[in-house]
Amino acid sequence: MQANSNDVSQSTTLQYVHWFRHSAPYINAHRNKTFVIMFDGEAVQHENFQHIIHDIALLNSLGIRLILVHGARQQINQNLKSSGLSTPFHQHRRITTRESLGCVMNAVGSVRLQIEALLSMGLANSPMYGARIDVVSGNFITAKPYGIRDGIDFQLTGEVRSVDTDAIQKHLQQHNIVMLGPVGYSTTGEVFNLPAEEVATKTAISLKADKLIFLGKQHGLLNAQGQLQREITPQGLDQYISQSQDTNSELAQQLRSAQNASLKGVHRVHLISYTYDGALLEELFTRDGSGTMVTDAHYEDVRMANIQDVGGLINLLRPLEEEGILVYRSRERLETEIEQFAVIERDGMILACAALYPIPAQEHELRSAEIACVAVHPSYRKSNRGSQILHYLEGKARSMGIQQLFVLTTRTAHWFLEHGFETANVDDLPNARQALYNYQRNSLVFKKRI
């Protein structure tokens, strides 16, 4: 039976309205925030780059302060080839000779002009219509020689010495987009070739940017099961860096930079693909995003529990059990199930806890787990400790291949709704969990796909 075109159109419209409504909290949260977005020269040559420019213009119109950092490796290579020159690499850095510097400067300048031209588009039938975007570039990056490493003179290859944050902030306050390239200038007037990843990272750290976004080839990182790793700690990047060191040095550079930025105060670093139309908007304005986010914020004080934590758990849980908010758990049961619990500890005191119980699945059922026993010390309930531990267990569930989470609660329904759970019924529970449902307690059921 052929679908009615009006029905299809209405369905598409409803999907758009649903997305737009759910993006509103992110629009509010991102306004006046500072984002550093880095992409290499290969991204600029990709057919999807024009869509990326449209999305960057949209972010600018929403009041987000933007610093764009572009690379030019591909263009430099092309210029060198045309000139019959070659420059060796060492430690994944180009050794920039004086005779090759002209090729570097021409490539960087041409990429900058190309981006500025795209940001100046204003055709009536394009997404840029009516957008007035002022792009500013200049000598914001002071560089110094990379020097001699392993006995090799890197000549005019440099490293970032300082970032003129005051000048950049003034332009951002005027709603200008600041654009930086892979070059820096010394106090003696020399030009140095810099890795774009380093420029982006040092700039984000110096500005205390809210986000650092790397646009690369890959759609983020994949876990051992081949699934997208949506969230990871900077420490968790170690294995990916070692894996990509030989196979993809460009990815390794981005990962090292992401790790460095995260450990030095950039709370959100994103790894997304420049080949995927809409990746930037999906990453910033949807709950699941399109790539991998590197963050230390959710995990600062969270860890899996051990047997020494049982006493602290009892002290935290007993008052809630006596009020009937939580189901009673004996010491023996806590000791048996201690490996299911995550805790937040400070100075020897358990401030918050939650447990993750995988649910046995039948052949037709999704792999599911139950989050239970979410508790926060009364003195810390106005903090985000509950959210921290919930996000931690969601990440653990994803790494285990869990596809959906369930929660049963009698008192905290709204809190779970605020954290992305949806109302469900007892019949929605996997059969193994339905068999254990306590009808006398009459808990409400919520579920969340992850």
Side-chain angles (χ1 to χ4, degrees):
M1 182 176 178
Q2 189 172 3
N4 186 295
S5 60
N6 289 333
D7 291 340
V8 174
S9 177
Q10 185 178 20
S11 175
T12 303
T13 301
L14 288 174
Q15 288 176 4
Y16 168 75
V17 170
H18 177 80
W19 176 85
F20 195 70
R21 285 173 177 163
H22 283 76
S23 67
Y26 298 99
I27 294 173
N28 293 328
H30 295 334
R31 187 176 293 117
N32 294 323
K33 294 298 195 302
T34 300
F35 295 179
V36 177
I37 302 176
M38 184 264 156
F39 43 85
D40 60 21
E42 202 168 332
V44 177
Q45 294 180 329
H46 195 272
E47 61 184 2
N48 188 51
F49 189 69
Q50 185 166 312
H51 295 142
I52 293 172
I53 288 293
H54 294 162
D55 294 344
I56 286 171
L58 176 58
L59 299 183
N60 178 256
S61 71
L62 292 173
I64 297 171
R65 300 177 177 186
L66 297 174
I67 300 102
L68 307 183
V69 181
H70 70 82
R73 288 191 189 99
Q74 188 82 353
Q75 291 80 357
I76 292 171
N77 290 340
Q78 291 168 356
N79 283 359
L80 289 170
K81 185 177 180 180
S82 299
S83 301
L85 300 174
S86 63
T87 53
F89 281 78
H90 184 66
Q91 298 177 347
H92 307 300
R93 286 182 185 250
R94 188 190 302 273
I95 299 171
T96 308
T97 61
R98 290 198 175 274
E99 62 178 352
S100 69
L101 184 61
C103 294
V104 172
M105 294 173 67
N106 286 337
V108 172
S110 67
V111 172
R112 177 174 63 82
L113 290 172
Q114 183 180 349
I115 297 168
E116 288 178 351
L118 289 171
L119 284 169
S120 300
M121 290 189 302
L123 294 175
N125 61 348
S126 80
M128 302 285 287
Y129 179 65
R132 170 62 187 175
I133 300 173
D134 292 321
V135 185
V136 178
S137 57
N139 57 341
F140 300 117
I141 304 297
T142 301
K144 60 183 180 181
Y146 195 62
I148 298 173
R149 309 287 177 104
D150 299 330
I152 296 173
D153 186 358
F154 280 80
Q155 302 184 51
L156 291 177
T157 296
E159 59 183 326
V160 176
R161 181 175 182 178
S162 64
V163 179
D164 191 346
T165 56
D166 290 340
I168 292 175
Q169 290 285 18
K170 287 177 183 177
H171 288 294
L172 294 177
Q173 288 166 8
Q174 294 172 9
H175 206 49
N176 298 329
I177 290 179
V178 174
M179 184 155 58
L180 306 175
V183 292
Y185 309 93
S186 73
T187 53
T188 58
E190 289 184 293
V191 179
F192 287 97
N193 183 19
L194 308 173
E197 295 85 358
E198 182 180 314
V199 174
T201 301
K202 292 290 182 69
T203 301
I205 294 169
S206 299
L207 286 170
K208 297 180 173 59
D210 299 282
K211 288 183 183 292
L212 170 59
I213 301 168
F214 288 103
L215 289 166
K217 283 183 181 178
Q218 293 193 196
H219 295 269
L221 302 174
L222 303 180
N223 62 20
Q225 289 76 38
Q227 301 166 323
L228 181 63
Q229 182 92 15
R230 297 192 180 276
E231 198 167 298
I232 192 170
T233 64
Q235 295 82 4
L237 288 175
D238 286 336
Q239 60 172 326
Y240 291 97
I241 292 172
S242 61
Q243 289 169 4
S244 62
Q245 194 76 41
D246 298 324
T247 58
N248 188 339
S249 61
E250 192 170 297
L251 176 61
Q253 281 184 294
Q254 287 194 355
L255 296 181
R256 283 194 297 269
S257 297
Q259 186 179 61
N260 184 32
S262 184
L263 292 173
K264 291 185 178 178
V266 182
H267 295 306
R268 300 287 185 273
V269 183
H270 301 259
L271 304 167
I272 60 178
S273 174
Y274 62 73
T275 67
Y276 172 46
D277 187 11
L280 193 55
L281 299 183
E282 188 174 328
E283 180 71 9
L284 294 175
F285 298 105
T286 66
R287 179 168 55 88
D288 292 332
S290 66
T292 298
M293 181 171 70
V294 183
T295 176
D296 214 19
H298 288 160
Y299 298 85
E300 286 176 348
D301 306 310
V302 187
R303 61 172 174 81
M304 296 307 294
N306 57 56
I307 198 68
Q308 285 76 31
D309 297 317
V310 171
L313 285 173
I314 290 174
N315 292 334
L316 181 64
L317 298 177
R318 284 294 180 263
L320 298 172
E321 292 170 351
E322 290 169 1
E323 290 183 52
I325 297 174
L326 296 178
V327 175
Y328 173 77
R329 284 171 170 79
S330 65
R331 173 180 283 273
E332 290 75 16
R333 181 179 174 185
L334 284 173
E335 290 176 352
T336 302
E337 299 178 351
I338 194 64
E339 293 182 354
Q340 314 300 131
F341 278 80
V343 297
I344 298 177
E345 176 197 4
R346 175 180 288 177
D347 298 329
M349 182 172 75
I350 303 298
L351 304 183
C353 73
L356 179 70
Y357 295 97
I359 302 171
Q362 295 183 358
E363 187 174 343
H364 65 282
E365 294 178 332
L366 295 176
R367 294 191 64 183
S368 304
E370 178 183 355
I371 287 185
C373 212
V374 180
V376 180
H377 190 280
S379 301
Y380 294 87
R381 285 178 188 162
K382 291 185 179 180
S383 70
N384 66 340
R385 300 287 173 173
S387 299
Q388 285 181 345
I389 207 160
L390 178 62
H391 284 303
Y392 178 86
L393 287 183
E394 286 181 1
K396 183 175 177 61
R398 288 191 190 97
S399 69
M400 296 166 60
I402 299 297
Q403 297 168 287
Q404 66 179 349
L405 295 172
F406 287 93
V407 167
L408 280 71
T409 183
T410 58
R411 304 279 189 94
T412 54
H414 283 278
W415 188 83
F416 285 106
L417 287 171
E418 290 168 2
H419 285 78
F421 284 80
E422 298 176 351
T423 304
N425 300 310
V426 176
D427 292 340
D428 294 321
L429 291 168
N431 290 333
R433 185 62 183 86
Q434 282 188 45
L436 300 174
Y437 181 80
N438 186 340
Y439 285 91
Q440 186 174 358
R441 186 171 171 80
N442 197 27
S443 297
L444 297 174
V445 179
F446 297 89
K447 65 180 180 180
K448 180 178 182 178
R449 290 291 296 269
I450 60 173

